[in-house]
Amino acid sequence: MKLILAQSAGFCYGVRRAVELAEETAAQGTPCVMLGSIIHNRDVIDHLASQGLVSVDRPEQVPDGSAVIIRSHGESRAVHEGLKARGVRILDATCPNVTRIHQIVAQAEERGRQPVIIGTPDHPEVTAIAGWCRHPVVLAGEEELDIWLSQAPERREFPLTFVSQTTSTRKIWDGCVKKAKKECTNAEFFDTICGATSKRQGEARQLAEKCGMMVVIGDRKSSNTKRLAELCREVCPDVRLIERAEDLDLTHIPQTETIGITAGASTPAWIIKEVYNKMSDEIMEIEKSFAELLEESIKPINNGDKVTGTVVAITPTEIQVELGIKYPGYIPLSELSDDPNVKPEDVVKVGDEIESYVMLVSDRDCLVKLSKKRLDMVKGWEEIEAAKENETVVEGFVTEDNKGGVVVSVKGIRVFVPASQTGLPRETPMSELLKKKVRLVITEVNRARRRVVGSISKVTRAERAAAAEKVWAEIEEGKRYTGTVKSLTSYGAFVDIGGVDGMVHISELSWSRIKHPSEVVKVGDTVEVYVISADKEKKKISLGMKDHSQEPWTVFTSTYQVGDVANVRIVKLMTFGAFAEVVPGVDGLIHISQIADHRIEKPGDVLAEGDKVDVKITDIDMENKKISLSIRALLEAPAAEEEPESEPQE
């Protein structure tokens, strides 16, 4: 037979942190009590009691002038405030993962949202989380969620914030999330299942699948331990839940090649060792000694080390990493990538192995702060030097700007780009490039001084030259391009069609009569143009924008005929009359005699450019494409249509 101990068996970092805090306090001789059992293990509680740390059940029982240890499961906001009001010194051993849930639900209520806690309602951790809300909702699982939603259908429209008890199973949480996403219209989800718990449960189940017998060690009151046993029973025929070595009956061991051992997060190492040693006396082959496994679990790491771990959870602010040691690791989002817009799920996924740099080992918080970005930076120097040597193009994000230029982060390395090499026009502020992704070449590297200089404009010029060469090779009359308006003059607009600028004459911008190109386009606009002519020798391109499928005279003749009334815009005043635009590109003449029903000296006495007036179309010269219009005809029409009064009868 082979005896295998699960790698993640025993204290999690939150429990270890709480126990170490209690032991340190007891060693100092500070008057102190524990509020409730700081962890779910009576042997540990008895051990602490023997050191002078007693437990009290209620906050009122904490003696005045004494310190109090808050258990790893946490306590409500009211308990914290009540103890502080009495001047009691609080030693908070709440698991950092649980503290984070307190913050999530409290902030959710501040934003007008309804916190929904998925977990065992009477579990002390859940009770504490609920104590940070004014109106919490606690549900054990998917079935309870369904009942709660059906009791008041309008709840499906509520702004809901879902969190999970840290020791809940992935199956329960995923079921609730799936149902809520399907039925609720305004829900947000925070996956607060502890990464260490999730990994422990996964390891236990995988080990149980290949074992004929599983031994689960832990306090029977521990929710974490009971979950482990439940998961193991799903795949293993013989699962035994025990609290200590003397509970294990080895007289009836099944005929199996492998027996597995795991332990809940509140089970101390010395109890696991007792069970392991008792069983090893009956087993012919031991995979690893308990001492070796324990040594691996507490292997120290130091600031500056390079470590490899497994991603166990991803949140909007950090990546949680299991390092296989006594402390978990986390990578803040700011230390994941030098891309300021990066989303964690675009870089890593749960289950991925990730290599990172140790920034800080915190024994107080039982955490290891990691950085992938800084490790990338170390590798980045080699790539930067190679890019300079080979003159290759690299990519980065602009992180800073000043009068002298901009700073680009490339592989975590700061690269300075002088203003003259940014490619921006002289008067354009450098801030235009902030947080943008740019392509550049490295022009100078001094690793000793940590100085790197680059050029964006060199890449831009080279790419523009290559694009221009392609345009000139393929250009022909009538070919269409999508371009960008680069500049305007009084006579037209210059448009970049991909490395080459062409000019759209003012007459080719619109069928309507315009005085300046700015009436139709502005710098930076994306426009559709076509080639009117291209002189490859002189490198000149004439472009057009007008839609020739909408030829103005055809549009006019298909819309109007003699006798119709049209609303027109006065575009030009002459001594003999006024020209008016009937449709874009087609003007008609209102002779001075047709402007009013009385004599006028000049058209400007009645009309102004830009006026819109109703006119009657009195004549259309199809051959010469001329139109005669009249305002007077509309003024006289009512009088002409009046019936003459009849002669009175004698």
Side-chain angles (χ1 to χ4, degrees), residues 430-479:
M430 297 292 106
S431 58
E432 287 288 316
L433 289 174
L434 270 179
K435 295 186 178 180
K436 289 186 178 178
K437 190 175 185 179
V438 296
R439 292 163 55 80
L440 65 158
V441 290
I442 305 302
T443 57
E444 179 186 339
V445 177
N446 187 327
R447 191 165 182 176
R449 295 178 57 194
R450 304 184 70 81
R451 173 180 168 82
V452 184
V453 180
S455 172
I456 298 171
S457 58
K458 278 190 176 182
V459 176
T460 305
R461 288 196 297 269
E463 291 177 344
R464 186 173 174 82
E469 185 177 345
K470 182 179 180 182
V471 169
W472 283 114
E474 300 174 353
I475 199 167
E476 59 185 19
E477 289 184 13
K479 189 167 185 176

Side-chain angles (χ1 to χ4, degrees), residues 22 25-26 29-34 52-55 63 65-69 89 91:
T25 304
T30 304
C32 185
V33 297
M34 299 181 293
L53 280 179
V54 298
S55 297
S66 170
V68 62
I69 298 177
R89 180 185 169 209
L91 303 176

Side-chain angles (χ1 to χ4, degrees), residues 13 16 20 322-323 325-329 361-363 366-368:
Y13 67 94
R16 181 179 289 108
E20 288 178 352
E322 176 61 50
L323 298 172
I325 59 174
K326 67 176 181 177
Y327 294 164
V361 179
S362 174
D363 290 318
C366 298
L367 292 171
V368 180

Side-chain angles (χ1 to χ4, degrees), residues 77 102-117 130 132-137 148 155-163 180-181 184-190:
R77 189 204 305 265
H102 295 173
Q103 296 167 349
I104 291 171
V105 296
Q107 291 168 4
E109 278 201 335
E110 288 175 5
R111 294 185 288 123
R113 304 185 69 86
Q114 169 65 64
V116 180
I117 305 161
W132 287 84
C133 314
R134 291 185 299 275
H135 306 289
V137 172
W148 183 73
R155 288 173 176 165
R156 292 176 171 83
E157 310 296 327
F158 286 179
L160 306 176
T161 297
F162 284 81
V163 297
K181 283 185 175 180
C184 302
T185 59
N186 186 6
E188 62 181 10
F189 306 91
F190 290 87

Side-chain angles (χ1 to χ4, degrees), residues 539-584:
K539 300 296 182 183
K540 289 186 177 180
I541 302 173
S542 177
L543 302 171
M545 276 180 54
K546 295 192 298 189
D547 185 358
H548 283 272
S549 66
Q550 296 294 312
E551 199 279 323
W553 184 258
T554 302
V555 172
F556 168 74
T557 56
S558 64
T559 307
Y560 296 104
Q561 58 187 359
V562 174
D564 286 351
V565 175
N567 185 262
V568 300
R569 179 172 62 90
I570 305 301
V571 294
K572 192 173 184 65
L573 298 178
M574 308 294 290
T575 56
F576 54 84
F579 285 99
E581 183 183 67
V582 184
V583 296

Side-chain angles (χ1 to χ4, degrees), residues 304-320:
D305 286 354
K306 184 173 72 172
V307 294
T308 300
T310 303
V311 176
V312 293
I314 299 174
T315 77
T317 58
E318 66 187 33
I319 310 297
Q320 296 176 11

